[in-house]
Coordinates of all heavy atoms in Angstrom, one line a residue:
M1 N 23.7 -12.2 5.8 CA 22.9 -13.3 5.5 C 21.6 -13.3 6.5 O 20.6 -13.9 6.2 CB 23.6 -14.6 5.5 CG 24.4 -14.8 4.2 SD 23.5 -14.6 2.7 CE 22.7 -16.2 2.6
Q2 N 22.0 -13.0 7.8 CA 20.8 -13.2 8.7 C 19.7 -12.3 8.4 O 18.5 -12.6 8.5 CB 21.4 -12.7 10.1 CG 20.4 -13.0 11.3 CD 19.9 -14.4 11.4 OE1 20.6 -15.3 11.2 NE2 18.6 -14.5 11.6
E3 N 20.0 -11.1 7.9 CA 18.9 -10.0 7.4 C 18.2 -10.7 6.3 O 16.9 -10.6 6.2 CB 19.7 -8.8 7.0 CG 18.7 -7.7 6.8 CD 19.3 -6.4 6.4 OE1 20.6 -6.4 6.2 OE2 18.7 -5.4 6.3
L4 N 18.8 -11.4 5.4 CA 18.2 -12.1 4.3 C 17.4 -13.3 4.8 O 16.2 -13.4 4.4 CB 19.2 -12.6 3.2 CG 18.6 -13.2 2.0 CD1 17.7 -12.3 1.3 CD2 19.7 -13.7 1.1
R5 N 17.9 -14.1 5.7 CA 17.0 -15.2 6.2 C 15.8 -14.6 6.9 O 14.7 -15.2 6.7 CB 17.9 -15.9 7.4 CG 19.0 -16.8 6.7 CD 19.7 -17.5 7.9 NE 18.8 -18.6 8.5 CZ 18.6 -19.7 8.0 NH1 19.1 -20.1 6.9 NH2 17.8 -20.5 8.7
S6 N 15.9 -13.5 7.6 CA 14.7 -12.9 8.2 C 13.6 -12.5 7.2 O 12.5 -12.8 7.3 CB 15.0 -11.7 9.1 OG 15.8 -12.2 10.2
A7 N 14.2 -11.8 6.1 CA 13.3 -11.3 5.1 C 12.7 -12.5 4.3 O 11.5 -12.5 4.0 CB 14.0 -10.4 4.1
L8 N 13.4 -13.6 4.1 CA 13.0 -14.8 3.4 C 11.8 -15.5 4.2 O 10.8 -16.0 3.7 CB 14.0 -15.7 3.0 CG 14.9 -15.3 1.9 CD1 16.1 -16.2 1.7 CD2 14.2 -15.0 0.6
T9 N 12.0 -15.5 5.5 CA 11.1 -16.1 6.4 C 9.7 -15.4 6.3 O 8.7 -15.9 6.2 CB 11.6 -16.1 7.8 OG1 12.7 -16.8 8.0 CG2 10.6 -16.6 8.8
E10 N 9.8 -14.1 6.2 CA 8.6 -13.3 6.0 C 8.0 -13.5 4.7 O 6.8 -13.6 4.4 CB 8.8 -11.8 6.3 CG 9.1 -11.4 7.7 CD 7.9 -11.8 8.6 OE1 6.7 -11.5 8.2 OE2 8.3 -12.5 9.6
Q11 N 8.9 -13.6 3.6 CA 8.5 -13.9 2.2 C 7.7 -15.2 2.1 O 6.7 -15.3 1.4 CB 9.6 -13.9 1.3 CG 9.3 -14.2 -0.1 CD 8.5 -13.1 -0.8 OE1 9.1 -12.0 -1.0 NE2 7.3 -13.3 -1.1
L12 N 8.2 -16.2 2.9 CA 7.5 -17.5 2.8 C 6.0 -17.4 3.4 O 5.2 -18.2 3.0 CB 8.3 -18.5 3.7 CG 9.5 -19.0 2.9 CD1 10.4 -19.7 3.8 CD2 9.1 -20.0 1.8
K13 N 5.8 -16.5 4.2 CA 4.4 -16.2 4.7 C 3.5 -15.5 3.7 O 2.3 -15.7 3.9 CB 4.5 -15.4 6.0 CG 5.2 -16.1 7.2 CD 5.4 -15.2 8.3 CE 6.2 -15.8 9.5 NZ 6.4 -14.9 10.6
R14 N 4.1 -15.0 2.7 CA 3.4 -14.2 1.7 C 3.9 -14.7 0.3 O 4.6 -13.9 -0.3 CB 3.5 -12.8 1.8 CG 2.9 -12.2 3.2 CD 3.2 -10.7 3.3 NE 4.7 -10.6 3.8 CZ 5.5 -9.7 3.4 NH1 5.1 -8.8 2.6 NH2 6.7 -9.8 3.8
P15 N 3.7 -15.9 -0.2 CA 4.3 -16.4 -1.4 C 3.7 -15.9 -2.7 O 4.0 -16.4 -3.7 CB 4.2 -17.9 -1.2 CG 2.8 -18.0 -0.5 CD 3.0 -16.9 0.5
E16 N 2.8 -14.9 -2.6 CA 2.1 -14.4 -3.8 C 3.0 -13.7 -4.7 O 2.8 -13.6 -5.9 CB 0.8 -13.7 -3.5 CG 1.1 -12.4 -2.7 CD 1.2 -12.6 -1.1 OE1 0.9 -13.8 -0.7 OE2 1.6 -11.8 -0.5
G17 N 4.1 -13.1 -4.3 CA 5.1 -12.4 -5.0 C 6.3 -11.9 -4.2 O 6.2 -11.9 -3.0
P18 N 7.3 -11.5 -5.0 CA 8.5 -11.0 -4.2 C 8.2 -9.7 -3.4 O 7.6 -8.7 -3.9 CB 9.5 -10.7 -5.3 CG 9.1 -11.4 -6.5 CD 7.5 -11.4 -6.4
A19 N 8.5 -9.8 -2.1 CA 8.3 -8.5 -1.3 C 9.4 -7.5 -1.6 O 10.5 -7.9 -1.9 CB 8.4 -9.0 0.2
P20 N 9.1 -6.2 -1.6 CA 10.2 -5.2 -1.9 C 11.4 -5.3 -1.1 O 12.5 -5.1 -1.6 CB 9.3 -3.9 -1.8 CG 7.9 -4.3 -1.8 CD 7.8 -5.7 -1.3
E21 N 11.2 -5.7 0.2 CA 12.4 -5.7 1.1 C 13.3 -6.9 0.7 O 14.5 -6.8 0.8 CB 12.0 -5.8 2.5 CG 11.1 -6.9 3.0 CD 9.6 -6.6 2.8 OE1 9.2 -5.6 2.2 OE2 8.9 -7.5 3.3
V22 N 12.6 -8.0 0.2 CA 13.5 -9.1 -0.2 C 14.2 -8.8 -1.5 O 15.4 -9.1 -1.6 CB 12.6 -10.5 -0.4 CG1 13.4 -11.6 -1.0 CG2 12.0 -10.8 1.0
T23 N 13.5 -8.1 -2.4 CA 14.2 -7.7 -3.6 C 15.4 -6.8 -3.3 O 16.4 -7.0 -3.9 CB 13.1 -7.0 -4.6 OG1 12.1 -7.9 -4.8 CG2 13.8 -6.6 -5.9
A24 N 15.2 -5.9 -2.5 CA 16.3 -5.0 -2.2 C 17.5 -5.7 -1.5 O 18.6 -5.5 -1.8 CB 15.8 -3.8 -1.3
L25 N 17.1 -6.6 -0.6 CA 18.2 -7.4 0.0 C 19.0 -8.3 -0.9 O 20.2 -8.4 -0.8 CB 17.6 -8.1 1.2 CG 17.4 -7.4 2.5 CD1 16.6 -8.3 3.4 CD2 18.7 -7.0 3.0
L26 N 18.2 -8.9 -1.9 CA 18.8 -9.7 -2.9 C 19.8 -8.9 -3.8 O 21.0 -9.3 -4.1 CB 17.8 -10.5 -3.8 CG 17.1 -11.5 -3.2 CD1 16.0 -12.0 -4.1 CD2 18.0 -12.7 -2.8
R27 N 19.4 -7.7 -4.0 CA 20.3 -6.7 -4.8 C 21.6 -6.5 -4.0 O 22.7 -6.6 -4.5 CB 19.6 -5.5 -5.2 CG 18.6 -5.7 -6.2 CD 18.0 -4.4 -6.7 NE 17.0 -4.6 -7.6 CZ 15.8 -4.1 -7.5 NH1 15.4 -3.4 -6.4 NH2 14.9 -4.4 -8.4
K28 N 21.4 -6.2 -2.7 CA 22.5 -5.9 -1.8 C 23.5 -7.2 -1.6 O 24.7 -7.0 -1.8 CB 22.0 -5.5 -0.5 CG 23.0 -5.3 0.6 CD 22.5 -4.9 2.0 CE 23.5 -4.8 3.1 NZ 22.9 -4.7 4.4
V29 N 22.9 -8.2 -1.5 CA 23.7 -9.5 -1.2 C 24.4 -9.8 -2.6 O 25.6 -10.2 -2.5 CB 22.8 -10.8 -0.9 CG1 23.5 -12.0 -1.0 CG2 22.3 -10.5 0.6
A30 N 23.8 -9.6 -3.8 CA 24.4 -9.9 -5.1 C 25.5 -9.0 -5.3 O 26.6 -9.4 -5.7 CB 23.4 -9.8 -6.1
R31 N 25.4 -7.7 -5.0 CA 26.5 -6.8 -5.2 C 27.7 -7.0 -4.3 O 28.8 -7.1 -4.6 CB 26.0 -5.3 -4.9 CG 25.1 -4.7 -5.9 CD 25.0 -3.2 -5.7 NE 24.4 -2.9 -4.4 CZ 23.1 -2.7 -4.1 NH1 22.2 -3.0 -5.0 NH2 22.7 -2.5 -2.9
E32 N 27.4 -7.4 -3.0 CA 28.4 -7.8 -2.0 C 29.2 -9.1 -2.5 O 30.4 -9.1 -2.4 CB 27.8 -8.0 -0.6 CG 27.4 -6.7 0.0 CD 26.6 -6.8 1.4 OE1 26.6 -8.0 1.8 OE2 26.3 -5.8 1.8
A33 N 28.4 -10.0 -3.0 CA 29.0 -11.2 -3.5 C 30.0 -11.0 -4.6 O 31.1 -11.4 -4.8 CB 27.9 -12.2 -3.9
Q34 N 29.5 -10.2 -5.6 CA 30.3 -9.8 -6.7 C 31.6 -9.1 -6.3 O 32.6 -9.4 -6.8 CB 29.4 -9.0 -7.7 CG 30.2 -8.7 -9.0 CD 29.3 -8.0 -10.0 OE1 28.7 -7.0 -9.7 NE2 29.3 -8.4 -11.3
A35 N 31.4 -8.1 -5.4 CA 32.6 -7.4 -4.9 C 33.6 -8.2 -4.2 O 34.8 -8.0 -4.2 CB 32.1 -6.2 -4.0
S36 N 33.1 -9.3 -3.6 CA 33.9 -10.2 -2.9 C 34.5 -11.3 -3.7 O 35.3 -12.2 -3.2 CB 33.2 -10.9 -1.7 OG 32.7 -9.8 -0.8
G37 N 34.2 -11.3 -4.9 CA 34.8 -12.4 -5.9 C 34.0 -13.6 -5.8 O 34.5 -14.7 -6.2
I38 N 32.8 -13.6 -5.2 CA 32.0 -14.9 -5.1 C 31.3 -15.1 -6.5 O 30.6 -14.2 -7.1 CB 30.9 -14.7 -4.0 CG1 31.7 -14.7 -2.7 CG2 30.0 -15.9 -4.0 CD1 30.7 -14.4 -1.5
R39 N 31.5 -16.3 -7.1 CA 30.9 -16.6 -8.3 C 29.4 -16.7 -8.2 O 28.8 -17.0 -7.1 CB 31.4 -17.9 -8.9 CG 33.0 -17.8 -9.2 CD 33.4 -19.0 -9.9 NE 32.7 -20.3 -9.7 CZ 33.1 -21.3 -8.8 NH1 34.3 -21.2 -8.3 NH2 32.3 -22.4 -8.7
P40 N 28.7 -16.4 -9.3 CA 27.2 -16.4 -9.2 C 26.6 -17.8 -8.9 O 25.6 -17.8 -8.2 CB 26.7 -15.9 -10.6 CG 27.9 -16.0 -11.5 CD 29.1 -16.0 -10.6
E41 N 27.3 -18.8 -9.3 CA 26.9 -20.1 -9.0 C 26.9 -20.4 -7.5 O 26.0 -21.0 -6.8 CB 27.8 -21.2 -9.7 CG 27.8 -21.0 -11.1 CD 28.8 -20.2 -11.7 OE1 29.6 -19.6 -10.9 OE2 28.7 -19.9 -12.9
Q42 N 28.0 -19.9 -6.8 CA 28.1 -20.1 -5.3 C 27.0 -19.3 -4.6 O 26.4 -19.7 -3.7 CB 29.5 -19.5 -4.9 CG 30.6 -20.4 -5.3 CD 31.9 -19.6 -5.0 OE1 32.2 -18.6 -5.5 NE2 32.8 -20.3 -4.2
L43 N 26.7 -18.1 -5.2 CA 25.7 -17.3 -4.6 C 24.3 -18.0 -4.7 O 23.5 -18.0 -3.7 CB 25.6 -15.9 -5.3 CG 24.5 -15.0 -4.8 CD1 24.6 -14.6 -3.4 CD2 24.5 -13.7 -5.8
L44 N 24.0 -18.5 -5.8 CA 22.7 -19.2 -6.0 C 22.6 -20.6 -5.2 O 21.6 -20.7 -4.6 CB 22.5 -19.6 -7.5 CG 22.3 -18.4 -8.4 CD1 22.2 -18.8 -9.9 CD2 21.1 -17.5 -8.0
V45 N 23.7 -21.2 -5.0 CA 23.6 -22.4 -4.1 C 23.4 -22.0 -2.7 O 22.5 -22.6 -2.0 CB 25.0 -23.2 -4.2 CG1 25.1 -24.2 -3.1 CG2 25.1 -23.9 -5.6
T46 N 24.0 -21.0 -2.3 CA 23.7 -20.4 -0.9 C 22.3 -19.9 -0.7 O 21.6 -20.3 0.2 CB 24.7 -19.3 -0.5 OG1 26.0 -19.7 -0.6 CG2 24.5 -18.7 0.8
F47 N 21.8 -19.2 -1.7 CA 20.5 -18.7 -1.7 C 19.4 -20.0 -1.7 O 18.6 -20.0 -0.8 CB 20.1 -17.8 -2.9 CG 18.5 -17.5 -3.0 CD1 18.1 -16.6 -2.2 CD2 17.8 -18.3 -3.7 CE1 16.7 -16.4 -2.2 CE2 16.4 -18.1 -3.8 CZ 15.9 -17.1 -3.0
K48 N 19.7 -20.9 -2.5 CA 18.8 -22.1 -2.6 C 18.8 -22.9 -1.2 O 17.8 -23.3 -0.7 CB 19.2 -23.0 -3.7 CG 18.8 -22.4 -5.0 CD 19.2 -23.3 -6.2 CE 18.8 -22.8 -7.6 NZ 19.2 -23.7 -8.6
E49 N 20.0 -23.0 -0.7 CA 20.1 -23.8 0.5 C 19.4 -23.0 1.7 O 18.7 -23.6 2.4 CB 21.6 -23.9 1.0 CG 22.3 -25.0 0.1 CD 23.8 -25.0 0.5 OE1 24.3 -24.1 1.1 OE2 24.4 -26.0 0.0
T50 N 19.5 -21.7 1.8 CA 18.8 -20.9 2.7 C 17.3 -21.0 2.5 O 16.5 -21.3 3.5 CB 19.3 -19.4 2.6 OG1 20.7 -19.4 2.8 CG2 18.6 -18.6 3.6
W51 N 16.8 -20.8 1.3 CA 15.3 -20.9 1.0 C 14.8 -22.3 1.4 O 13.8 -22.3 2.1 CB 15.2 -20.7 -0.5 CG 13.7 -20.7 -0.9 CD1 13.2 -21.8 -1.3 CD2 12.7 -19.7 -0.8 NE1 11.9 -21.6 -1.7 CE2 11.6 -20.3 -1.3 CE3 12.7 -18.4 -0.5 CZ2 10.3 -19.6 -1.4 CZ3 11.5 -17.7 -0.5 CH2 10.3 -18.3 -1.0
N52 N 15.5 -23.3 1.0 CA 15.0 -24.7 1.2 C 15.0 -24.9 2.7 O 14.0 -25.6 3.2 CB 15.8 -25.7 0.4 CG 15.7 -25.6 -1.0 OD1 14.6 -25.1 -1.5 ND2 16.6 -26.1 -1.8
S53 N 15.9 -24.6 3.4 CA 15.9 -24.7 4.9 C 14.8 -24.1 5.5 O 14.1 -24.6 6.5 CB 17.3 -24.5 5.6 OG 17.4 -23.0 5.6
L54 N 14.5 -22.9 5.1 CA 13.4 -22.1 5.6 C 12.0 -22.7 5.2 O 11.1 -22.7 6.0 CB 13.5 -20.6 5.3 CG 14.6 -19.9 5.8 CD1 14.7 -18.5 5.2 CD2 14.5 -19.7 7.3
A55 N 11.9 -23.1 4.0 CA 10.7 -23.6 3.5 C 10.4 -24.9 4.1 O 9.1 -25.1 4.3 CB 10.8 -23.8 1.9
E56 N 11.3 -25.7 4.5 CA 11.0 -27.0 5.2 C 10.3 -26.8 6.5 O 9.4 -27.5 6.9 CB 12.3 -27.7 5.4 CG 12.9 -28.4 4.2 CD 14.2 -29.1 4.4 OE1 14.6 -29.3 5.6 OE2 14.8 -29.4 3.5
T57 N 10.5 -25.7 7.2 CA 10.0 -25.3 8.5 C 8.6 -24.7 8.3 O 7.8 -24.7 9.2 CB 10.9 -24.5 9.3 OG1 10.9 -23.1 8.7 CG2 12.2 -25.0 9.5
Q58 N 8.2 -24.2 7.1 CA 7.0 -23.5 6.9 C 5.8 -24.5 6.4 O 4.6 -24.1 6.5 CB 7.1 -22.4 5.9 CG 8.1 -21.4 6.2 CD 7.6 -20.5 7.4 OE1 6.4 -20.2 7.4 NE2 8.4 -20.2 8.3
R59 N 6.2 -25.7 5.9 CA 5.2 -26.6 5.4 C 4.1 -25.9 4.5 O 3.0 -25.6 4.9 CB 4.4 -27.3 6.7 CG 5.2 -28.0 7.7 CD 5.6 -29.3 7.2 NE 6.4 -30.0 8.3 CZ 7.5 -30.5 8.0 NH1 8.1 -30.4 7.0 NH2 8.2 -31.2 9.1
P60 N 4.6 -25.6 3.3 CA 3.7 -24.8 2.4 C 2.4 -25.6 2.0 O 2.4 -26.7 1.9 CB 4.6 -24.7 1.1 CG 5.7 -25.8 1.2 CD 5.8 -26.0 2.7
K61 N 1.4 -24.8 1.9 CA 0.1 -25.4 1.5 C 0.1 -25.6 0.1 O -0.6 -26.5 -0.4 CB -1.0 -24.5 2.0 CG -1.2 -24.3 3.5 CD -2.3 -23.4 3.9 CE -2.3 -23.2 5.4 NZ -3.2 -22.2 5.9
S62 N 0.8 -24.7 -0.7 CA 0.8 -24.9 -2.1 C 2.3 -24.9 -2.6 O 2.9 -23.9 -2.8 CB 0.1 -23.6 -2.7 OG 0.3 -23.6 -4.1
P63 N 2.9 -26.1 -2.6 CA 4.3 -26.2 -3.1 C 4.6 -25.5 -4.4 O 5.7 -24.9 -4.6 CB 4.5 -27.7 -3.1 CG 3.5 -28.3 -2.2 CD 2.3 -27.4 -2.3
E64 N 3.6 -25.5 -5.3 CA 3.8 -24.9 -6.6 C 4.0 -23.4 -6.5 O 4.8 -22.7 -7.2 CB 2.6 -25.2 -7.5 CG 2.4 -26.7 -7.8 CD 1.7 -27.4 -6.8 OE1 0.9 -26.8 -6.0 OE2 1.8 -28.6 -6.8
Q65 N 3.2 -22.9 -5.6 CA 3.3 -21.3 -5.3 C 4.7 -21.0 -4.8 O 5.3 -20.0 -5.2 CB 2.1 -20.9 -4.4 CG 2.1 -19.4 -4.3 CD 0.9 -19.0 -3.5 OE1 0.4 -19.7 -2.7 NE2 0.3 -17.8 -3.9
Y66 N 5.2 -21.8 -3.9 CA 6.5 -21.6 -3.3 C 7.6 -21.7 -4.3 O 8.5 -21.1 -4.3 CB 6.7 -22.5 -2.1 CG 6.0 -22.0 -0.8 CD1 4.7 -22.3 -0.6 CD2 6.7 -21.3 0.1 CE1 4.1 -21.8 0.5 CE2 6.1 -20.8 1.2 CZ 4.8 -21.1 1.5 OH 4.2 -20.7 2.6
E67 N 7.4 -22.7 -5.2 CA 8.4 -23.0 -6.2 C 8.5 -21.8 -7.2 O 9.5 -21.3 -7.6 CB 8.0 -24.3 -7.0 CG 9.1 -24.5 -8.1 CD 10.5 -24.8 -7.5 OE1 10.6 -25.1 -6.3 OE2 11.5 -24.7 -8.3
R68 N 7.3 -21.2 -7.6 CA 7.2 -20.1 -8.5 C 8.0 -18.9 -7.8 O 8.7 -18.2 -8.5 CB 5.8 -19.7 -8.8 CG 5.2 -20.6 -9.9 CD 3.9 -20.0 -10.4 NE 2.9 -19.8 -9.3 CZ 2.0 -20.8 -8.9 NH1 2.0 -22.0 -9.5 NH2 1.1 -20.5 -8.0
I69 N 7.7 -18.7 -6.6 CA 8.3 -17.5 -6.0 C 9.8 -17.7 -5.7 O 10.6 -16.8 -5.9 CB 7.6 -17.0 -4.6 CG1 8.2 -15.6 -4.0 CG2 7.9 -18.1 -3.5 CD1 7.8 -14.6 -4.9
R70 N 10.2 -19.0 -5.5 CA 11.6 -19.3 -5.4 C 12.4 -18.9 -6.7 O 13.3 -18.3 -6.8 CB 11.8 -20.7 -5.0 CG 13.3 -21.1 -4.8 CD 13.5 -22.5 -4.4 NE 13.4 -23.4 -5.6 CZ 14.5 -24.0 -6.1 NH1 15.6 -23.8 -5.6 NH2 14.4 -24.7 -7.2
E71 N 11.7 -19.4 -7.8 CA 12.3 -19.2 -9.1 C 12.4 -17.7 -9.5 O 13.4 -17.3 -10.1 CB 11.6 -19.9 -10.2 CG 11.6 -21.5 -10.1 CD 13.1 -22.0 -10.2 OE1 13.9 -21.4 -11.0 OE2 13.5 -22.8 -9.4
R72 N 11.4 -17.0 -9.0 CA 11.3 -15.5 -9.4 C 12.5 -14.8 -8.5 O 13.2 -14.0 -9.0 CB 10.0 -14.9 -9.0 CG 9.9 -13.5 -9.2 CD 9.9 -13.1 -10.6 NE 9.8 -11.6 -10.7 CZ 10.7 -10.9 -11.4 NH1 11.7 -11.4 -12.1 NH2 10.6 -9.6 -11.4
L73 N 12.7 -15.3 -7.2 CA 13.8 -14.7 -6.5 C 15.1 -15.1 -7.0 O 16.0 -14.3 -7.0 CB 13.6 -15.1 -5.1 CG 12.4 -14.6 -4.3 CD1 12.2 -15.2 -3.0 CD2 12.4 -13.0 -4.2
I74 N 15.3 -16.3 -7.6 CA 16.5 -16.6 -8.2 C 16.8 -15.7 -9.3 O 18.0 -15.3 -9.6 CB 16.5 -18.1 -8.6 CG1 16.6 -19.0 -7.2 CG2 17.7 -18.5 -9.5 CD1 16.3 -20.4 -7.5
T75 N 15.8 -15.5 -10.2 CA 16.0 -14.7 -11.4 C 16.4 -13.3 -10.9 O 17.3 -12.6 -11.5 CB 14.7 -14.6 -12.1 OG1 14.4 -15.8 -12.6 CG2 14.8 -13.7 -13.3
L76 N 15.7 -12.7 -9.8 CA 16.2 -11.4 -9.3 C 17.6 -11.5 -8.8 O 18.3 -10.4 -9.0 CB 15.2 -11.0 -8.2 CG 13.8 -10.6 -8.6 CD1 12.9 -10.4 -7.4 CD2 13.8 -9.4 -9.5
C77 N 18.0 -12.5 -8.2 CA 19.3 -12.5 -7.7 C 20.3 -12.5 -8.8 O 21.4 -11.9 -8.8 CB 19.5 -13.9 -6.9 SG 20.9 -14.0 -5.9
I78 N 20.1 -13.3 -9.9 CA 20.9 -13.4 -11.1 C 21.1 -11.9 -11.7 O 22.1 -11.5 -12.0 CB 20.5 -14.4 -12.1 CG1 20.7 -15.8 -11.5 CG2 21.2 -14.3 -13.4 CD1 19.9 -16.9 -12.3
Q79 N 19.9 -11.3 -11.9 CA 19.8 -10.0 -12.5 C 20.5 -9.0 -11.7 O 21.3 -8.2 -12.2 CB 18.3 -9.5 -12.6 CG 17.6 -10.3 -13.7 CD 16.1 -10.0 -13.8 OE1 15.5 -9.5 -12.8 NE2 15.5 -10.3 -14.8
A80 N 20.5 -9.1 -10.4 CA 21.2 -8.1 -9.5 C 22.6 -8.4 -9.6 O 23.4 -7.4 -9.5 CB 20.7 -8.4 -8.0
Y81 N 23.1 -9.6 -9.6 CA 24.5 -9.9 -9.7 C 25.1 -9.3 -11.0 O 26.2 -8.8 -10.9 CB 24.7 -11.5 -9.7 CG 26.2 -11.9 -9.6 CD1 26.7 -12.1 -8.3 CD2 26.9 -12.0 -10.7 CE1 28.1 -12.4 -8.2 CE2 28.3 -12.3 -10.7 CZ 28.8 -12.5 -9.3 OH 30.2 -12.9 -9.3
Y82 N 24.5 -9.4 -12.1 CA 25.0 -8.9 -13.4 C 24.6 -7.5 -13.7 O 25.0 -6.9 -14.7 CB 24.6 -9.8 -14.5 CG 25.4 -11.1 -14.5 CD1 24.7 -12.3 -14.1 CD2 26.6 -11.2 -14.7 CE1 25.3 -13.4 -14.0 CE2 27.4 -12.4 -14.7 CZ 26.6 -13.6 -14.2 OH 27.4 -14.7 -14.3
A83 N 23.9 -6.8 -12.8 CA 23.4 -5.4 -13.0 C 24.7 -4.5 -12.9 O 25.6 -4.8 -12.2 CB 22.4 -5.0 -12.0
E84 N 24.6 -3.5 -13.6 CA 25.8 -2.5 -13.6 C 25.6 -1.5 -12.6 O 24.6 -1.1 -12.2 CB 26.0 -1.9 -15.0 CG 26.1 -2.9 -16.0 CD 27.4 -3.0 -16.7 OE1 28.3 -2.2 -16.3 OE2 27.6 -3.8 -17.5

């Protein structure tokens, strides 16, 4: 999770789209969660809590842009969790 927190911190600095390293880490975290028996809902709650705590410290200039990227990352997380 620390690795993901670091990647998300960098992502918040570039909210124009998902960074490749964040996408890869979300896939890794989702696979590990699934292998550990963590339900997707739990994974999403953890992701959202992490994102929100980081976003609060960044003071976004465009909250809409941050919301769009957050939703895109959530979608990626769900897709990764259910990927074969």
